[in-house]
Amino acid sequence: MNISIFLIGFVFFMGGISVWLMPTFKLGIFFLEWDFLSLKFNFYFNSILFSFILFLVTFSVLVFSTYYLNSELNFNYYYFVLLIFVGSMFSLNFSNSIFTMLLSWDLLGISSFFLVLFYNNWDSCSGAMNTALTNRLGDYFMFVFFGLSVFSGYYFLSFSMFSSYMSLLLLLTAFTKSAQFPFSSWLPKAMSAPTPVSSLVHSSTLVTAGLILLMNFNNLVMQKDFISFVLIIGLFTMFFSSLASLVEEDLKKVVALSTLSQMGFSMVTLGLGLSFISFIHLVSHALFKSCLFMQVGYIIHCSFGQQDGRNYSNNGNLPNFIQLQMLVTLFCLCGLIFSSGAVSKDFILELFFSNNYMMFFSLMFFVSVFLTFGYSFRLWKSFFLSFNKVMNHYSSTVFMNFLSLVLVIFSISFLWWMNFNLLNIPSLFLYVDFFGPLVFLFMMIFLSFLILKMLFKELTYKFLVDYLAKNSIYKMKNLKFMDLFLNNINSKGYTLFLSSGMFKNY
């Protein structure tokens, strides 16, 4: 591994540790304040927590990209753009002024454009242009929003008259960045980027930027009409992306559409008025989705860049550890009880279905949550349950098996710790939630052991009782077979003696 890459990774790791040890405080730093141009950064619990997750995911992705893009010519360029992207995401996360927010928002869009463009073929060019132009639309909405807010600050026009229109523009900005219903097309198209980019950009950074923006302005957005609008758009996004992921053949796009579905889920939560719960779901999703992207990327890498779900076969020969990790991350994605997705998902579902009379939307919500299981099983099936093609695989490293393990452990234990300290949920449920994945693991091992035992018992019984005894009796009864058998022995013995006699002569 290149020493500079190692040092960058080490800095990110140490940064993550320092954020983890940082007490919960609220700190605002003002570098410069002059009318519109001001550099303000705000450090409070939400931003610090998200930056810790960002540190963790970025560290894993940096190490993963050294493996995935090994011997790539433009590797230094890729690394440089990736670090600019991560830096702009940190800046957006902590920024507390119009200028810094616009600057980091623009940098996010530009660096994501260059990252998607990395392979420089037709597909990546089309995906990059789609991404850049959609995000440019979002930038336009944001410019107008901040422009109006600056004008209203000069008392030319009453702020209350404009605040409703401004909130609408803010919502549209968030929808373009988080790829919500009218602007969803760029997210699957951006999958033409390298898989480590997808793992970072489309799990914990670019798609969550819109939601973080809405959470920063939640006092402005939390009006009855607006949050119901957010709720409906989030529902539509969930529903359409879940349906699309059931018929999509490119497996990276399936994972991207599942990300879109989870973003819709977070939007629905924001539409219910649960800003902090939405944020917690975002954090847990960032952990296990980047992990899932890494595992999918590893399998694609081992299958010689094959992404079509119909062409996989015999992936069961890949290390079992990767398969187990993928199973756990899919459990988290489905929000199965005793996994990290369950804590926030259960809470949100309960609050959505209680005291709610929107029959059509409730049905839609239920179906789209249920379809999560559908596309998760489809992903698993196309990877590990197809044996119809003859294709060689290779697994080039042991280290990769343990890279996503850190994220798997964090996606279970970190959220458990956070819920235990922050959310008002019974502690018994959380203890069970912590030990649940271990139960899943032991259950899988125990079941596989039982199945193997039964299989071997059945095989020995079949062989000794059915096959051996029956066939020997058949062969003994069949005189022609016995005759040929004895003749064969006779001729073999004769030739043996003959050859030994020949050796004696020499």
Side-chain angles (χ1 to χ4, degrees), residues 406-435:
V406 179
L407 288 176
V408 172
I409 290 166
F410 260 92
S411 68
I412 296 158
S413 60
F414 176 63
L415 204 79
W416 169 81
W417 171 84
M418 209 171 74
N419 285 321
F420 192 65
N421 286 296
L422 292 176
L423 298 184
N424 191 10
I425 293 176
S427 55
L428 175 69
F429 176 73
L430 288 167
Y431 272 113
V432 174
D433 176 45
F434 179 59
F435 292 115

Side-chain angles (χ1 to χ4, degrees), residues 92-103:
L92 180 71
N93 191 21
F94 290 127
S95 61
N96 197 24
S97 65
I98 294 177
F99 181 68
T100 47
M101 211 169 258
L102 280 174
L103 193 68

Side-chain angles (χ1 to χ4, degrees), residues 12 38 103 110-111 120-122 173 185-186 253 264 287 304 320 329 331 361 363 371 384 407 467 470 479:
F12 269 103
S38 58
L103 193 68
I110 294 161
S111 52
N120 221 347
N121 51 25
W122 186 88
T173 312
S185 64
W186 67 265
K253 285 188 180 172
L287 279 167
F304 306 102
N320 290 339
T329 44
F331 282 165
F361 289 129
L363 191 66
L371 287 179
F384 297 116
L407 288 176
Y467 183 78
K470 218 190 292 184
L479 292 174

Side-chain angles (χ1 to χ4, degrees), residues 159-170 220 223 226:
F159 178 74
S160 56
M161 178 186 163
F162 268 112
S163 63
S164 53
Y165 299 120
M166 282 161 50
S167 305
L168 193 63
L169 284 165
L170 186 71
L220 192 64
Q223 303 170 27
F226 283 118

Side-chain angles (χ1 to χ4, degrees), residues 12-27:
F12 269 103
F13 182 68
M14 292 310 291
I17 294 292
S18 64
V19 166
W20 170 266
L21 296 173
M22 206 177 265
T24 54
F25 60 85
K26 194 162 186 176
L27 174 71

Side-chain angles (χ1 to χ4, degrees), residues 267-286:
M267 277 286 177
V268 167
T269 318
L270 209 61
L272 291 170
L274 306 169
S275 174
F276 188 65
I277 305 293
S278 176
F279 178 73
I280 281 178
H281 184 72
L282 212 62
V283 162
S284 75
H285 169 259

